[in-house]
């Protein structure tokens, strides 16, 4: 059974640009959550999608957005990148809201 | 790695000893708790979970204890091995919120 797949694994962007990250959940999992991990703030919740609907959102500015497709794959987008957006972005999938399985993450570096 | 620079509590144990990692959670309404292990360059790996209607759950070499009275969670690892070296996070889910709130993490190092 394939795990959670995140692409790309690494990304370098310039301030002011935008970026789109992708997450393919475990087959059959309909809930996808996104987290940001930084050395200073640890792991912080960004948002969660279920059946193409955003159910929960964390305390991040509107530059951070996401969506989920009918096949449960999810994307997150960050517009007008800032240096502080450099982080490991993690996606987790689950079936009934238990047993969240994480992907390996996308490491975003903003220069 | 993502945990470099973060001043994490550190636990050092001898190989073969038992490890106990502690976590204080924040919300008395949390209904579900998970322990994760994160190795450098990897995403968090699920270890074990427990619901709020339980106070103990055992897995292979691991046990999670939940004390709701003092909002405390612990992870016990039996016969610690070198491969157990990692950062361990506890996470709580606020009832119905469908989001996890993570603790700061504890770095476990194994001495040969």
């Amino acid at each position: 059974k394939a795990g959670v797949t995140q692409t790309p694994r690494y990304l370098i962007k310039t301030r002011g640009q935008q970026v789109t990250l992708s997450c393919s959940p475990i087959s059959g999992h309909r809930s996808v959550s996104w987290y940001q991990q930084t050395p200073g703030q640890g792991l912080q919740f960004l948002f969660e999608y279920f059946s193409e609907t955003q159910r929960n959102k964390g305390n991040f500015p509107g530059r951070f957005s996401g969506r989920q497709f009918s096949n449960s794959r999810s994307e997150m987008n960050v517009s007008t990148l800032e240096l502080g957006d450099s982080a490991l972005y993690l996606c987790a999938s689950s079936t009934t809201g238990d047993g969240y399985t994480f992907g390996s993450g996308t490491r975003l570096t903003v220069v | 790695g993502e945990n470099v620079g973060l001043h994490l509590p550190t636990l050092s144990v001898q190989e073969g000893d038992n490890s106990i990692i502690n976590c204080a959670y924040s919300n008395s309404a949390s209904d579900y708790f998970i322990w994760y292990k994160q190795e450098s360059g990897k995403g968090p790996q699920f270890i074990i979970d427990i619901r709020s209607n339980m106070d103990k759950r055992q897995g292979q070499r691991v046990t999670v204890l939940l004390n709701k009275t003092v909002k405390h969670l612990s992870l016990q690892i039996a016969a610690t091995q070198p491969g157990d070296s990692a950062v361990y996070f506890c996470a709580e889910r606020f009832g119905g919120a469908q989001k996890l709130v993570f603790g700061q993490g504890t770095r476990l190092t194994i001495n040969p």
Side-chain angles (χ1 to χ4, degrees), chain A residues 1 4 8 14-16 19 24 27 31 38 42 45-48 54 57 65 70 74 78 92-93 98 100 107:
Chain A
K1 188 175 182 181
V4 178
T14 304
R15 270 180 302 175
V19 67
S24 293
S27 179
S31 170
T38 60
F45 172 78
L46 281 156
F47 25 66
E48 186 256 354
Q54 185 183 89
K57 191 175 190 306
S65 63
S70 58
S74 177
V78 188
S93 78
D98 292 354
Y100 300 78
R107 180 166 298 285

Side-chain angles (χ1 to χ4, degrees), chain B residues 1 3 6 10-11 15 20 23 26 31 34-35 37 42 53 55 59 70 74 83 88-89 94-95 97 101 107 109:
Chain B
N3 297 311
L6 180 62
T10 299
L11 175 66
E15 183 178 349
I20 299 176
C23 175
S26 61
D31 65 348
I34 310 176
W35 279 100
K37 170 186 179 183
K42 298 183 179 180
N53 61 355
D55 53 21
V70 294
S74 69
Y88 289 80
F89 292 95
F94 296 175
V101 175
R107 187 181 306 281
T109 60

Side-chain angles (χ1 to χ4, degrees), chain B residues 9 11 20-24 35 72-76 88 90 105-106:
Chain B
L11 175 66
I20 299 176
I21 301 172
N22 296 302
C23 175
W35 279 100
H72 183 268
L73 197 65
S74 69
L75 176 71
Q76 301 177 3
Y88 289 80
C90 66
T106 297

Side-chain angles (χ1 to χ4, degrees), chain B residues 55-74:
Chain B
D55 53 21
K56 179 179 180 179
R57 191 162 187 228
Q58 290 183 289
Q60 188 175 14
R61 279 202 311 121
V62 294
T63 301
V64 56
L65 299 177
L66 175 62
N67 184 330
K68 293 182 288 294
T69 302
V70 294
K71 292 191 288 187
H72 183 268
L73 197 65
S74 69

Side-chain angles (χ1 to χ4, degrees), chain A residues 9-10 31 33 35 37-43 45 48 55-58 88 90 94 96-105 107, chain B residues 1-8 32 34 36 38 41-46 49 51 87 89 93 96-104:
Chain A
R9 286 282 279 127
Y10 302 94
S31 170
S33 308
Y35 292 80
Q37 186 174 28
T38 60
Q41 300 298 319
L43 279 147
F45 172 78
E48 186 256 354
R55 294 196 298 188
N56 292 279
K57 191 175 190 306
L88 181 66
L90 292 157
S94 69
T96 57
D98 292 354
Y100 300 78
T101 302
F102 281 85
S104 296
R107 180 166 298 285
Chain B
E2 47 284 343
N3 297 311
V4 173
L6 180 62
H7 181 65
L8 296 173
Y32 180 64
I34 310 176
Y36 286 96
Q38 188 174 30
K42 298 183 179 180
Q45 176 188 349
F46 176 95
D49 59 1
R51 295 182 183 279
V87 177
F89 292 95
R93 184 184 68 191
Q98 299 301 328
K99 71 175 189 180
L100 298 176
V101 175
F102 284 81
Q104 64 178 325

Side-chain angles (χ1 to χ4, degrees), chain A residues 45-111:
Chain A
F45 172 78
L46 281 156
F47 25 66
E48 186 256 354
Y49 287 87
F50 182 86
S51 293
E52 303 179 64
T53 300
Q54 185 183 89
R55 294 196 298 188
N56 292 279
K57 191 175 190 306
N59 295 324
F60 280 82
R63 299 185 296 107
F64 291 81
S65 63
R67 59 178 176 169
Q68 186 180 34
F69 301 94
S70 58
N71 62 356
S72 293
R73 189 178 72 86
S74 177
E75 289 181 347
M76 68 162 282
N77 183 278
V78 188
S79 62
T80 319
L81 283 165
E82 301 176 0
L83 294 178
D85 296 333
S86 294
L88 181 66
Y89 289 89
L90 292 157
C91 155
S93 78
S94 69
T95 50
T96 57
D98 292 354
Y100 300 78
T101 302
F102 281 85
S104 296
T106 293
R107 180 166 298 285
L108 172 65
T109 302
V110 182
V111 298

